[in-house]
Amino acid sequence: MKDLDKIILQCKNKERIAQKKLYDFYSPLFYSICLRYIKDTIEAEDVLVQGFFKIFNKIDQYKDAGSFEGWMKRIIINESLMFLRQRKNFHLSLEQDEIDVVQTENIQANIQYKELLSLLNQLPDGYRTVFNLNVIEGYKHREIAEKLNISINTSKSQLIQAKKKLQALIKKKHSYKSGT
């Protein structure tokens, strides 16, 4: 984005035109992040708007240290997690009998974004949230545990279960396509 420093300064001065430029440029990216956590498109849009509201209200806290996009992204992810905790009766699924036996298989590396989003939306909220935070966002299990107020082992088991469910969904989809 051209002149990002200038736009940030203008946003700090509450200039609406600059806020709109920032929103227009980053909203597609951040909306896709919201959709990875929240299945419902209208709820994801609400979280996106709430996230930008928080970005504009807290922009003075950004001190030019690190990536501005990364700073905003953390706010959007935290808003998504807060939504899940507050409004969706967020709970993590745990299938204890399935945790011990994990066979990893290669998942196609070339899954299109829409296909991935469709597959992620079929996962329970807990699986999907931990998968997003770990695999896509790069958070460590310790960080996930702190963010979600769960144990590190619960984070790890949620990720294992998410991967197993995704593998099963991919196998099912590809066997359906091939007619077997």
Side-chain angles (χ1 to χ4, degrees):
M1 180 180 218
K2 291 183 180 178
D3 303 316
L4 182 60
D5 292 334
K6 180 180 175 184
I7 290 173
I8 292 170
L9 181 61
Q10 290 170 333
C11 286
K12 286 182 178 184
N13 292 325
K14 310 288 187 216
E15 294 182 27
R16 298 285 185 215
I17 292 172
Q19 290 174 337
K20 181 170 178 4
K21 285 180 185 177
L22 194 69
Y23 179 87
D24 288 346
F25 187 79
Y26 283 105
S27 62
L29 170 66
F30 293 154
Y31 179 63
S32 69
I33 291 172
C34 292
L35 279 176
R36 286 198 318 256
Y37 291 92
I38 302 158
K39 294 178 189 180
D40 184 270
T41 57
I42 293 171
E43 290 174 339
E45 288 173 10
D46 289 344
V47 170
L48 175 70
V49 170
Q50 191 64 30
F52 268 101
F53 182 75
K54 191 168 276 185
I55 288 167
F56 294 137
N57 282 331
K58 294 184 178 245
I59 199 162
D60 287 330
Q61 294 178 9
Y62 176 70
K63 303 296 182 198
D64 297 325
S67 160
F68 181 67
E69 181 177 321
W71 178 80
M72 291 189 301
K73 185 177 175 183
R74 280 191 304 278
I75 291 173
I76 296 295
I77 290 169
N78 287 334
E79 283 298 306
S80 298
L81 296 176
M82 193 174 350
F83 173 83
L84 289 172
R85 282 192 299 267
Q86 292 176 350
R87 296 191 190 105
K88 296 300 280 185
N89 194 16
F90 183 72
H91 68 283
L92 299 175
S93 305
L94 187 58
E95 299 169 16
Q96 188 66 36
D97 58 329
E98 294 181 14
I99 291 175
D100 298 330
V101 181
V102 179
Q103 295 179 333
T104 56
E105 297 178 23
N106 290 335
I107 296 178
Q108 278 186 311
N110 234 356
I111 295 177
Q112 297 295 323
Y113 178 76
K114 286 185 178 184
E115 183 180 358
L116 175 62
L117 188 58
S118 171
L119 292 169
L120 287 175
N121 281 338
Q122 295 178 51
L123 296 177
D125 288 344
Y127 293 3
R128 185 178 65 255
T129 302
V130 172
F131 182 88
N132 279 323
L133 288 170
N134 181 269
V135 175
I136 297 175
E137 307 299 344
Y139 286 94
K140 305 285 184 220
H141 287 291
R142 177 188 48 77
E143 297 168 307
I144 295 169
E146 289 172 7
K147 282 188 170 296
L148 299 179
N149 197 25
I150 59 175
S151 73
I152 292 172
N153 287 335
T154 299
S155 175
K156 289 177 180 179
S157 69
Q158 291 291 295
L159 181 61
I160 290 167
Q161 294 303 314
K163 287 179 177 180
K164 286 176 66 176
K165 289 238 186 247
L166 283 173
Q167 287 174 348
L169 290 168
I170 290 169
K171 278 184 183 178
K172 182 178 176 183
K173 185 171 186 162
H174 290 284
S175 66
Y176 176 75
K177 282 183 180 178
S178 65
T180 58

